[in-house]
Amino acid sequence: IRQMRRVEVAAPWVGQYNLIVLNHTPPKCFTRLWDNATHRICADGAVHRVLEHSNWPHLKKKPPHFIVGDLDSTSAAALAEFEALGAVIVPDRDQDHHDFHKALVCLRAIPNSAELPVVVTGAYGGRFDHVLAAMATLHCHPDLHIYLISDENFVSLIPANTPTTIVRPLEWGSVTCGFVPIAGSGFVTTSGFRWNLNNDEMALAGLISTSNLMDSDTAQITSTCALLWTCAVPFTFSNPNEA
């Protein structure tokens, strides 16, 4: 059994974190995420998501610290513009790993960076193979607290044999949620949900938990296999006034 883990559902909106931007539509709270991040890393074509953002004149005041990837989705003009603003370009031609993975490797090289949560935008909503690659990357970095967010969804990995407490913001109320194994099967015990498990076996082609509800402010999950934890994000939290 590993050390206890804590998933703070509000982490992308409060406290310290590092930010990785992937190449799909950023959430409406992107400006706030960008401004408050300790380190900002763009994965390849994500630089265009930043350049084309409606708030680009403001975002450019805090350029990304690194731009990472094989750079096949990034124009030379965009790279030159970011480099002039102070971004470090990290080409990585490896074709066996997703640019999300390369961004995490870059982040790990920054002293003490692994101590902070990693907020990721643009991980889903586009091509399904990219979504699968993002989910696979989560499983390759189980020691990091990585949170994938969009306007509608929050996703994080619960590693195997790691008792986990999930904490939701008080103002969210009851939250629609789910937890699903996609890398094998295991036995799962939970508390704090509308429908709990008691050492029940879960598998992608068997029992999974979707459309569940987190009725209490905290919930607990213990599993012998890794689980993807997901919950719906209330509109008022994902769409703040960012004037």
Side-chain angles (χ1 to χ4, degrees), residues 20-167:
I20 291 177
V21 184
L22 304 182
N23 191 14
H24 195 64
T25 306
K28 292 181 175 64
C29 59
F30 184 70
T31 297
R32 180 166 60 165
L33 294 175
W34 184 268
D35 282 349
N36 295 333
T38 301
H39 295 97
R40 294 171 294 279
I41 297 178
C42 288
D44 200 350
V47 296
H48 292 284
R49 301 292 177 175
V50 179
L51 275 174
E52 296 163 9
H53 194 275
S54 60
N55 215 8
W56 165 240
H58 173 81
L59 298 178
K60 68 188 297 184
K61 297 175 184 177
K62 292 184 177 181
H65 296 86
F66 299 96
I67 298 171
V68 184
D70 59 9
L71 307 182
D72 63 342
S73 302
T74 308
S75 69
L79 291 177
E81 182 166 359
F82 277 102
E83 198 166 23
L85 291 171
V88 176
I89 313 299
V90 185
D92 187 336
R93 306 302 180 187
D94 175 16
Q95 295 301 303
D96 291 332
H97 294 94
H98 192 261
D99 286 334
F100 179 19
H101 171 81
K102 297 172 188 178
L104 288 169
V105 171
C106 177
L107 185 63
R108 284 182 179 277
I110 302 172
N112 303 317
S113 65
E115 298 175 4
L116 295 179
V118 183
V119 175
V120 182
T121 67
Y124 33 73
R127 279 172 37 197
F128 188 58
D129 60 330
H130 283 173
V131 176
L132 290 174
M135 300 305 139
T137 299
L138 287 182
H139 287 75
C140 294
H141 299 268
D143 59 311
L144 297 179
H145 290 250
I146 303 173
Y147 302 139
L148 313 182
I149 71 165
S150 69
D151 286 331
E152 300 87 13
N153 300 290
F154 174 103
V155 175
S156 189
L157 181 76
I158 297 176
N161 301 310
T162 306
T164 299
T165 297
I166 299 170
V167 182

Side-chain angles (χ1 to χ4, degrees), residues 175-237:
V175 173
T176 303
C177 62
F179 36 95
V180 179
I182 66 169
S185 62
F187 294 88
V188 183
T189 298
T190 69
S191 63
F193 300 102
R194 181 76 57 88
W195 295 278
N196 287 296
L197 300 175
N198 183 16
N199 201 35
D200 293 299
E201 185 172 11
M202 299 190 78
L204 188 59
L207 176 67
I208 64 173
S209 177
T210 61
S211 301
N212 207 330
L213 290 170
M214 183 175 169
D215 289 329
S216 59
D217 298 330
T218 63
Q220 287 73 41
I221 298 179
T222 301
S223 174
T224 60
C225 66
L227 298 173
L228 287 177
W229 152 260
T230 178
C231 72
V233 176
F235 179 83
T236 53
F237 228 75

